[in-house]
């Protein structure tokens, strides 16, 4: 048999195993609210090829691909356990098992590693929590996709309603069409139907009421059966506590803003300061996409090396706030055509760092250039460190952070030599460290951080909502702190 024959035979074997993993992963998700991960990447609703590609990512751990032949036994062991709602990482299980020298069987090791998710220790299922989207633009529609995807058994977050301004004839059909198809993020993963008689969009069985209103005061949420909901304001029209408080009406319990908050509104970056949210806090912000991109790696670098000062230059894709062609705009430069120009502008991300990282005393400055790409940006983070180091030490550290730390859902890592912006469309991480571009000279380090400013940010928003709603389930095996 030739090498080509061996490779193809091996592929077919792994393909067959991946096929047999899909129903096990699906059943755990639907029946027990268990999300199966592979090094922080969800395997729920993934195709055979996607599962195999996700396994290949593990080559960044030790230069070797993680095979489904290694992870399948752990998945089978999970199905035999009395699991409660949780997230379980097969990649971590396989890696930790290899390092364990006690001679335990896969079944014994798995039961021990996820003990907190079984028996009397397991988290009990909670009643579904209603969610309302106020606004249905770029972020709103992506958050909707994520909420529908994560509906699982129906015991988590439940998207009940969307509030928009009336748009005229066939408004509902057009909005459903924008949810179904996206020029950047592709087709919706599932089915969407429209019931115009009841003003409802039905996406993968989730009935979502579309409410037309020009102001929060016009909406009676209780009339639509909405109760104790978390409202996600995607409009950015109100950014202070007074303005956002207008949403706190019967049926709405908390308000989450998808833009930087002003005044005393907490700016939350999941993974960094989400655990500071007080249980009785009703209004909070998820900060900006750029703040979410720079704060996790900034915290990681400060924890290990110390940061004395820094500057962030974000090269940012254009947004709806800019003009398609030259026209009047209240802000300087943004009136010039976004698809044709690089546009110097400002970013509030640097000043927002203080809210998310109050213990960081280093001054951080920032600026931004909007460029003619529709999605994915890059933040160039230039740091003066508290001690001298080397490029290899920094990269080894950040690689480990991306795989084994509490920030692994926020920080990703790539060694691809020809990586470009479009490669990161759909990334669920807040930022991706580009190893090849990293520069280190003594106590100076420059990090190049890619981020999908639409989808990656939307994932961070949903994580914050899961946390404040009480449906952010624990992850096993536990990562090092």
């Amino acid at each position: 048999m030739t090498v080509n024959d061996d490779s193809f035979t091996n592929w077919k074997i792994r393909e067959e195993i991946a096929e047999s993993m899909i129903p096990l992963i699906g059943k755990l998700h639907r029946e027990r609210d268990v999300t199966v991960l592979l090094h922080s990447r969800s395997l729920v609703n993934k195709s055979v090829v996607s599962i195999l590609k996700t396994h290949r990512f593990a080559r960044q751990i030790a230069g070797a691909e993680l095979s489904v032949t290694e992870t399948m036994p752990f998945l089978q062991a999970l199905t035999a356990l009395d699991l409660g709602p949780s997230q379980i990482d097969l990649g971590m299980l396989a890696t930790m098992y290899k390092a364990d020298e006690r001679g335990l069987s896969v079944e014994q090791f798995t039961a021990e590693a996820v003990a907190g998710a079984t028996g009397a220790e397991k988290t009990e299922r909670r009643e579904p929590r209603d969610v309302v989207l106020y606004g249905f633009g770029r972020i709103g529609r992506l958050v909707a996709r994520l909420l529908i995807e994560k509906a699982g058994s129906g015991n988590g977050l439940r998207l009940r309603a969307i509030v928009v301004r009336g748009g005229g004839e066939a408004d509902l059909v057009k909005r459903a069409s924008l949810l179904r198809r996206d020029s950047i993020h592709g087709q919706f993963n599932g089915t969407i139907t429209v019931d115009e008689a009841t003003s409802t969009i039905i996406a993968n069985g989730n009935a979502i009421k579309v409410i037309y209103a020009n102001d929060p005061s016009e909406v009676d949420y209780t009339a639509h059966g909405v109760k104790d909901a978390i409202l996600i304001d995607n409009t950015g029209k109100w950014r202070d506590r007074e303005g956002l408080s207008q949403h706190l009406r019967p049926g709405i319990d908390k308000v989450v803003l998808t833009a930087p908050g002003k005044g005393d509104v907490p700016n939350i970056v999941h993974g960094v300061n989400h655990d500071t949210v007080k249980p009785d806090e009703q209004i909070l912000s998820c900060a900006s996409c750029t703040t979410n991109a720079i704060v996790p790696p900034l915290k990681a670098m400060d924890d290990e090396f110390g940061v004395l000062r820094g500057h962030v230059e974000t090269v940012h894709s254009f947004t709806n706030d800019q003009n398609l062609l030259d026209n009047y705009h209240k802000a300087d430069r943004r009136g010039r055509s976004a698809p044709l120009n690089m546009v110097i502008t400002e970013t509030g991300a640097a000043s927002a760092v203080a809210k998310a990282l109050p213990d960081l005393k280093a001054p951080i400055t920032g600026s931004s250039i909007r460029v003619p790409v529709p999605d994915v940006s890059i933040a160039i983070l230039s740091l003066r460190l508290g001690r001298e180091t080397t490029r290899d030490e920094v990269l080894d550290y950040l690689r480990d952070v991306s795989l084994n730390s509490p920030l692994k859902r926020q920080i990703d890592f790539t060694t691809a030599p020809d990586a470009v912006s479009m490669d990161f469309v759909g990334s669920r991480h807040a930022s991706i460290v580009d190893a090849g571009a990293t520069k280190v000279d003594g106590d100076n380090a420059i990090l190049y951080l890619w981020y999908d400013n639409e989808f990656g940010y939307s994932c961070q928003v949903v994580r914050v909502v899961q946390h404040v709603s009480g449906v952010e389930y624990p992850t096993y095996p536990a990562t090092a702190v």
Side-chain angles (χ1 to χ4, degrees):
M1 183 176 290
T2 67
V3 173
N4 286 340
D5 289 337
D6 284 342
S7 297
F8 187 67
T9 299
N10 180 264
W11 170 263
K12 299 302 288 184
I13 292 171
R14 289 185 292 135
E15 192 176 45
E16 183 178 358
I17 294 172
E19 285 176 351
S20 63
M21 295 176 85
I22 291 174
L24 301 182
I25 293 168
K27 188 173 183 180
L28 284 170
H29 187 58
R30 289 190 306 275
E31 296 183 1
R32 307 188 197 179
D33 280 342
V34 173
T35 300
V36 178
L37 310 173
L38 193 86
H39 288 298
S40 77
R41 288 159 163 79
S42 174
L43 296 181
V44 176
N45 292 327
K46 294 296 187 289
S47 68
V48 168
V49 171
S50 180
I51 289 173
L52 293 174
K53 286 179 68 176
T54 305
H55 276 74
R56 188 158 192 258
F57 164 79
R59 69 190 184 279
Q60 295 202 48
I61 300 170
E65 183 174 337
L66 183 64
S67 174
V68 287
T69 59
E70 297 174 78
T71 57
M72 182 59 164
F74 294 97
L75 179 59
Q76 291 171 324
L78 290 174
T79 62
L81 297 174
D82 179 27
L83 294 170
S86 55
Q87 299 184 101
I88 300 180
D89 197 314
L90 295 182
M92 292 292 292
L93 282 172
T95 300
M96 293 171 63
Y97 182 68
K98 284 182 180 179
D100 191 85
E101 298 178 347
R102 294 174 295 165
L104 300 177
S105 68
V106 167
E107 291 76 15
Q108 291 171 324
F109 181 85
T110 302
E112 180 184 281
V114 303
T118 60
E121 300 296 320
K122 69 183 181 183
T123 302
E124 294 300 323
R125 289 190 178 189
R126 298 178 173 88
E127 288 296 313
R129 188 67 178 268
D130 289 355
V131 178
V132 173
L133 293 178
Y134 197 94
F136 204 47
R138 298 297 303 155
I139 299 303
R141 291 193 296 273
L142 291 178
V143 168
R145 285 188 174 199
L146 286 164
L147 291 172
I148 294 163
E149 170 194 300
K150 295 177 181 296
S153 65
N155 292 315
L157 300 176
R158 183 172 59 175
L159 179 56
R160 293 294 307 278
I162 298 164
V163 182
V164 293
R165 289 178 294 183
E169 187 178 354
D171 180 275
L172 191 66
V173 173
K174 290 177 180 178
R175 294 187 188 276
S177 182
L178 285 170
L179 178 62
R180 183 182 291 114
R181 304 176 183 87
D182 191 281
S183 299
I184 296 169
H185 301 283
Q187 297 277 344
F188 174 80
N189 187 21
T191 63
I192 293 176
T193 57
V194 173
D195 185 343
E196 292 190 85
T198 60
S199 191
T200 303
I201 295 174
I202 303 170
N204 290 356
N206 295 268
I208 307 161
K209 182 74 174 181
V210 178
I211 303 169
Y212 293 98
N214 294 314
D215 186 84
S217 63
E218 298 178 6
V219 187
D220 179 1
Y221 293 102
T222 60
H224 303 288
V226 176
K227 61 179 182 179
D228 298 325
I230 298 176
L231 182 144
I232 305 174
D233 186 325
N234 307 288
T235 67
K237 183 176 180 180
W238 305 279
R239 293 171 57 185
D240 59 10
R241 187 172 295 276
E242 181 182 2
L244 292 168
S245 294
Q246 298 177 74
H247 292 302
L248 294 173
R249 304 173 56 75
I252 303 299
D253 180 56
K254 295 180 185 294
V255 179
V256 175
L257 171 66
T258 63
K262 293 183 177 181
D264 67 342
V265 174
N267 279 265
I268 304 301
V269 175
H270 190 275
V272 175
N273 67 335
H274 65 278
D275 56 354
T276 65
V277 179
K278 298 176 182 178
D280 61 349
E281 178 60 74
Q282 289 188 287
I283 295 175
L284 53 91
S285 155
C286 290
S288 71
C289 55
T290 302
T291 303
N292 276 264
I294 66 173
V295 165
L298 189 56
K299 180 184 187 305
M301 292 295 288
D302 188 48
D303 287 347
E304 180 66 18
F305 304 103
V307 172
L308 301 182
R309 67 171 179 264
H311 176 80
V312 60
E313 187 80 32
T314 173
V315 182
H316 199 291
S317 60
F318 64 78
T319 68
N320 278 333
D321 181 59
Q322 295 170 257
N323 289 337
L324 186 63
L325 293 172
D326 287 6
N327 208 346
Y328 173 79
H329 195 292
K330 63 181 181 180
D332 294 341
R333 305 184 199 253
R334 292 198 184 194
R336 302 300 299 279
S337 173
L340 298 178
N341 295 289
M342 293 190 292
V343 179
I344 298 173
T345 185
E346 298 176 347
T347 176
S351 58
V353 168
K355 276 193 170 184
L357 280 177
D359 294 335
L360 180 70
K361 304 307 179 186
I364 306 294
T365 58
S367 54
S368 177
I369 302 173
R370 296 290 180 93
V371 295
V373 295
D375 187 30
V376 180
S377 305
I378 188 166
I380 305 168
L381 188 59
S382 181
L383 303 174
R384 174 76 181 277
L385 304 177
R387 67 175 175 88
E388 292 193 353
T389 181
T390 64
R391 183 173 182 272
D392 286 345
E393 184 185 9
V394 169
L395 291 179
D396 287 345
Y397 169 68
L398 291 176
R399 179 190 288 109
D400 185 65
V401 166
S402 74
L403 293 168
N404 301 311
S405 83
L407 290 172
K408 67 180 183 177
R409 296 172 74 192
Q410 282 71 44
I411 300 176
D412 203 0
F413 189 91
T414 182
T415 57
D418 57 353
V420 294
S421 60
M422 286 300 290
D423 296 329
F424 304 105
V425 171
S427 170
R428 294 178 181 239
H429 289 78
S431 64
I432 305 101
V433 177
D434 191 315
T438 300
K439 307 286 191 297
V440 179
D441 182 11
D443 60 356
N444 290 293
I446 303 176
L447 306 182
Y448 287 74
L449 308 166
W450 298 101
Y451 58 108
D452 184 330
N453 48 277
E454 293 187 334
F455 196 73
Y457 176 68
S458 296
C459 290
Q460 284 286 89
V461 171
V462 171
R463 290 170 189 140
V464 170
V465 174
Q466 287 177 316
H467 177 73
V468 300
S469 68
V471 297
E472 184 182 37
Y473 297 129
T475 300
Y476 299 95
T479 55
V481 178

